[in-house]
Amino acid sequence: MLYHPVTNYPEKPDDLIYYSDPSLSNKKTLDQYLKYKMQGKIDEAIAAIAEDNNLHFSSADLLNKFEIQIKKIQEYLLGNESDYTNPMVHGGSEPPDPEVHFIWIEEI
């Protein structure tokens, strides 16, 4: 199952994301996924799983959905505070004057 990176918060709660172990009803889809994966056809493997709405898996689109949900909650809780800045800074060299609660990530 693919997840759409859209959230309805705060207008209404999002649908719950349901996880469970694979069952016999998903065996055909999982077999097809493994066949494609063993052949190195990753795009086809993901497409095979994405078509099954009863099979949930961790993927980039799920993480993107979580990120967007968290961002919406932060915006709701913080309001439109103009002094809020993202503490994460990516760069090739250390900043000259780091601030308190400042996170610097060096690009390699």
Side-chain angles (χ1 to χ4, degrees), residues 5-102:
V6 176
T7 180
N8 298 315
Y9 189 83
E11 287 80 29
K12 68 176 192 169
D14 291 327
D15 294 334
L16 290 176
I17 296 173
Y18 176 76
Y19 266 88
S20 70
D21 292 330
S23 65
L24 290 176
S25 64
N26 303 116
K27 185 175 180 344
K28 181 179 175 185
T29 304
L30 289 173
D31 288 343
Q32 188 176 14
Y33 167 79
L34 291 173
K35 181 183 88 171
Y36 284 134
K37 186 177 173 187
M38 296 299 286
Q39 294 173 352
K41 299 177 179 178
I42 303 301
D43 290 338
E44 288 89 344
I46 300 226
I49 287 183
E51 293 172 2
D52 190 339
N53 288 333
N54 295 319
L55 187 61
H56 300 269
F57 61 100
S58 297
S59 61
D61 61 323
L62 176 63
L63 297 177
N64 288 338
K65 182 165 184 68
F66 287 155
E67 182 180 17
I68 289 168
Q69 287 176 330
I70 290 168
K71 184 174 186 261
K72 280 288 202 176
I73 291 170
Q74 285 177 330
E75 288 173 356
Y76 178 76
L77 294 175
L78 294 173
N80 293 325
E81 296 181 18
S82 60
D83 60 344
Y84 174 76
T85 58
N86 186 351
M88 302 286 270
V89 174
H90 298 268
S93 60
E94 185 175 355
D97 188 21
E99 302 172 10
V100 177
H101 305 293
F102 182 82

